[in-house]
C-alpha cells in the first residue's frame, strides 16, 4: 500500500496523472496473479501424497526463510529519504525512456511479493491449526483486511504523509519474529515426519506459541535466526538503488 501510494504521489507531483493508470495496472495484475497462485497452492496440496507433517514442515520452513528475507529487504529500505529517491529515480528514468510499463512492473513486483509472502504464511499457519480454529484464522484475515481498508481511505482522503521509515522498521522486527517462530515449528514438524533427527536438550523447555521445543535441532535453528537478525539490525541500512530485493 505504501509503495503504491508513493508511486502515485511522485507521478502527481510530476504532473503526470496520465501515467497513474500504469501503476494501477501493475498492482491489479499482481492481485489477479495472486488469486491464481492461491488456487494453485490449494491444488498442489490436494494432489500431494506427502504426509501432513511434511507439508507443515516444508511450508513453515519456506515461510520462515521468505519472511526473514523480506525482513532483510525491509531493513534495507528503512531510510525513507533513500526509498523516496529510489522511487523518483526509477519513475523519471522510465518516463525519459518512454518505458511506462517499467512503472507498472515496479508496482506489480512490490504488490505480488507481498501477496506471495502472505499466501505462504497463511498456508503455513493453516497447517498448524485444527478445523475448529479456522473461524479464528478467517476472523484475523478479515480484521486485517478491514484495517487495511481504513488505512487506505485515510491516506487517500487526507493525503497523510507516508511514514515509510517507521513502517518499514516496525515491519522488519515483526517479520524477523515470525521467522523465528515458524523456523521452530518447521523443524518440529519435520522431526515428527522423521525427516530430521531428534536430539533432546538436557532440560525440557517447550513454548509452543514461540515454536520452541526441547531439541537441539530446533533450538540451534532458531538461534541461527537470532544471530542473523542481530547482524542484520546492527548493519547500516543501504540505498534501495543498490539492492532492490
Amino acid at each position: 500500500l505504501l509503495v503504491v501510494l508513493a508511486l502515485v504521489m511522485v507521478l502527481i507531483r510530476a504532473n503526470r496523472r496520465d501515467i497513474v493508470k500504469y501503476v494501477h495496472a501493475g498492482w491489479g495484475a499482481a492481485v489477479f496473479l495472486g488469486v491464481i497462485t492461491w488456487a494453485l497452492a490449494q491444488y498442489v496440496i490436494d494432489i500431494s501424497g506427502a504426509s501432513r507433517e511434511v507439508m507443515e514442515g516444508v511450508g513453515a520452513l519456506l515461510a520462515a526463510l521468505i519472511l526473514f528475507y523480506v525482513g532483510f529487504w525491509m531493513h534495507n529500505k528503512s531510510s525513507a529519504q533513500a526509498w523516496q529517491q529510489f522511487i523518483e529515480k526509477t519513475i523519471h528514468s522510465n518516463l525519459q525512456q518512454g518505458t511506462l510499463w517499467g512503472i507498472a512492473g515496479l508496482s506489480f513486483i512490490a504488490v505480488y511479493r507481498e501477496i506471495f509472502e502472505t499466501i505462504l504464511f497463511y498456508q503455513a499457519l493453516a497447517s498448524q491449526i485444527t478445523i475448529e480454529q479456522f473461524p479464528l484464522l478467517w476472523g484475523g484475515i478479515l480484521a486485517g483486511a478491514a484495517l487495511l481498508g481504513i488505512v487506505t481511505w485515510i491516506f487517500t482522503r487526507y493525503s497523510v504523509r507516508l511514514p515509510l521509515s517507521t513502517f518499514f522498521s516496525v515491519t522488519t522486527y515483526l517479520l524477523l519474529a515470525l521467522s523465528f517462530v515458524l523456523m521452530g515449528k518447521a523443524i518440529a514438524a519435520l522431526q515428527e515426519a522423521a525427516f530430521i533427527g531428534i536430539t533432546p536438550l538436557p532440560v525440557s523447555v517447550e513454548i509452543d506459541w514461540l515454536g520452541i521445543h526441547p531439541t537441539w535441532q530446533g533450538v540451534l535453528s532458531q538461534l541461527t535466526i537470532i544471530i542473523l537478525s542481530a547482524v542484520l539490525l546492527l548493519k547500516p541500512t543501504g540505498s534501495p538503488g543498490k539492492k532492490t530485493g
Side-chain angles (χ1 to χ4, degrees):
L1 170 64
L2 292 174
V3 170
V4 170
L5 287 178
L7 287 170
V8 172
M9 289 177 63
V10 171
L11 288 172
I12 291 176
R13 284 200 300 266
N15 294 319
R16 293 304 305 268
R17 291 178 180 269
D18 56 311
I19 309 299
V20 172
K21 61 184 179 183
Y22 287 88
V23 177
H24 295 321
W27 69 258
V31 172
F32 177 74
L33 185 58
V35 173
I36 295 177
T37 303
W38 178 82
L40 289 176
Q42 306 304 310
Y43 178 72
V44 169
I45 288 176
D46 287 340
I47 66 174
S48 175
S51 67
R52 178 179 175 84
E53 289 79 11
V54 173
M55 287 165 45
E56 289 180 6
V58 172
L61 182 61
L62 288 175
L65 295 176
I66 288 182
L67 288 174
F68 183 87
Y69 168 75
V70 176
F72 173 81
W73 182 85
M74 282 282 192
H75 183 65
N76 273 351
K77 304 297 183 295
S78 61
S79 170
Q81 182 178 3
W83 177 240
Q84 194 71 18
Q85 290 175 350
F86 169 67
I87 290 178
E88 292 181 359
K89 180 180 178 181
T90 302
I91 287 180
H92 291 314
S93 174
N94 281 282
L95 289 177
Q96 291 175 359
Q97 297 175 11
T99 55
L100 301 180
W101 287 110
I103 296 175
L106 182 60
S107 175
F108 172 86
I109 292 173
V111 175
Y112 184 73
R113 173 165 41 202
E114 295 300 318
I115 290 177
F116 183 80
E117 169 203 336
T118 301
I119 290 173
L120 189 58
F121 172 69
Y122 279 135
Q123 286 294 122
L125 189 61
S127 69
Q128 302 286 335
I129 64 177
T130 62
I131 296 178
E132 292 76 15
Q133 293 174 318
F134 265 86
L136 298 176
L137 173 63
W138 280 106
I141 292 174
L142 294 175
L147 180 59
L148 183 61
I150 293 172
V151 171
T152 302
W153 180 80
I154 291 175
F155 278 146
T156 55
R157 177 67 176 80
Y158 296 102
S159 300
V160 177
R161 183 176 181 273
L162 301 179
L164 287 176
S165 181
T166 301
F167 174 80
F168 280 13
S169 296
V170 172
T171 304
T172 294
Y173 287 103
L174 176 61
L175 293 178
L176 294 179
L178 289 174
S179 177
F180 171 87
V181 174
L182 285 176
M183 179 60 74
K185 290 183 175 293
I187 297 301
L190 291 174
Q191 286 176 327
E192 290 181 11
F195 266 59
I196 296 179
I198 299 177
T199 306
L201 290 173
V203 293
S204 180
V205 179
E206 186 161 1
I207 308 176
D208 187 64
W209 67 277
L210 286 177
I212 298 176
H213 299 280
T215 69
W216 278 108
Q217 289 84 356
V219 169
L220 290 177
S221 66
Q222 290 185 306
L223 183 61
T224 300
I225 294 292
I226 292 176
I227 293 174
L228 292 177
S229 298
V231 172
L232 160 68
L233 296 174
L234 292 175
K235 178 183 177 181
T237 58
S239 169
K242 294 180 180 179
K243 183 178 179 62
T244 60

